[in-house]
Amino acid sequence: MTIGTAFQREPYGPFGAQLYGKTDPQDRGQLFESPEKLLAILRIARDAKWQLSAHCQGGGAIDGFLQALAALDREAPIAPTRSHLIHASFQSPAAIAEMKRMGVLADVQPAWLYLDSPALEKSVWQRRNAVLLPAAFLPRRGHWHRGGSDHMIGHDKNSATNPYNPFLGLWTAVTRLNTRNEVVHAEERITRAEALRMYTTGAAYRHFAEIPGDRSSAVSWPIWW
């Protein structure tokens, strides 16, 4: 997101050149696999009984991955695989609804909202259909996300670009504050209990590591309705 490679639904616009050195005003970021190739790769992985996942930064990347999963879901339900998007920073309402329909999960990094939202303000997250982490913290919408850090081993847990400290992620999920002490979309806040579940039982569920018989992190369990 911060270097302008995340594949968005819309061009980065005039700030793309100023912030990222883009020369094409229609530049939407980088798409590394065509939809056809992505579907072929995922179908092979699905047939090998793998859990399907991809790093999806930007709304365009999210939409493309979900489109491929939807094609597979029409062949056989994808929900039992607990397949998921990694990062998924710009989910649209339509993408959220599609994820809920298929039972697709997301591995999100709340601390990025704290660190990155000021830099993204003009180029991405205030524009139409591109709110940073728009539903990453809304289990009430019927979809539960998993909290993580994307931390790089060898870097400090607090000062790294991707800080490991889970308490920063928990705090950000609850407060929606950034480094300028601004609240970014207050309506997306969750409670401390919900944030804790996102980082514990929610993460365990994604890894098929929940306690046998424990339904506290299952997508369909309506604990917060």
Side-chain angles (χ1 to χ4, degrees):
M1 297 184 296
T2 54
I3 60 174
T5 58
F7 188 67
Q8 306 291 356
R9 297 182 183 91
E10 301 174 2
Y12 278 88
F15 284 96
Q18 179 180 335
L19 298 176
Y20 312 120
K22 294 182 178 294
T23 57
D24 180 1
Q26 298 303 310
D27 193 320
R28 296 169 56 194
Q30 294 183 16
L31 187 64
F32 290 95
E33 302 293 353
S34 67
E36 296 77 17
K37 185 175 181 180
L38 177 62
L39 177 58
I41 293 170
L42 292 179
R43 182 174 283 117
I44 292 170
R46 187 274 314 273
D47 293 345
K49 311 295 184 185
W50 287 10
Q51 187 179 36
L52 307 180
S53 184
H55 289 247
C56 296
Q57 278 291 62
I62 292 171
D63 295 345
F65 184 63
L66 291 179
Q67 182 179 356
L69 290 187
L72 298 180
D73 189 63
R74 288 191 289 270
E75 299 171 6
I78 204 73
T81 69
R82 302 186 189 179
S83 295
H84 54 277
L85 297 87
I86 299 175
H87 308 319
S89 293
F90 297 99
Q91 301 160 56
S92 67
I96 295 165
E98 186 71 346
M99 292 167 69
K100 178 182 177 182
R101 181 188 70 79
M102 292 189 291
V104 175
L105 312 177
D107 172 2
V108 300
Q109 291 69 44
W112 290 2
L113 181 137
Y114 172 70
L115 293 170
D116 296 339
S117 64
L120 299 171
E121 181 177 19
K122 292 182 178 179
S123 64
V124 177
W125 70 261
Q126 281 193 337
R127 300 174 64 207
R128 179 174 61 86
N129 210 21
V131 179
L132 178 59
L133 294 171
F137 315 130
L138 281 186
R140 298 178 190 90
R141 290 184 182 171
H143 187 80
W144 187 240
H145 290 55
R146 279 67 188 160
S149 67
D150 200 49
H151 183 68
M152 297 171 286
I153 295 174
H155 295 261
D156 183 80
K157 69 175 183 177
N158 294 311
S159 61
T161 302
N162 299 339
Y164 169 76
N165 190 339
F167 290 100
L168 177 59
L170 289 164
W171 176 83
T172 304
V174 172
T175 66
R176 298 286 297 191
L177 285 169
N178 63 19
T179 54
R180 296 196 300 218
N181 204 36
E182 300 166 333
V183 176
V184 182
H185 292 277
E187 71 278 7
E188 308 291 349
R189 290 170 171 160
I190 60 171
T191 68
R192 288 180 293 178
E194 291 166 347
L196 186 61
R197 287 184 183 274
M198 184 171 68
Y199 271 80
T200 55
T201 55
Y205 180 81
R206 202 209 79 184
H207 289 286
F208 291 90
E210 72 271 25
I211 299 172
D214 176 20
R215 295 284 294 167
S216 63
S217 59
V219 171
S220 60
W221 198 49
I223 185 172
W224 290 286
W225 270 260

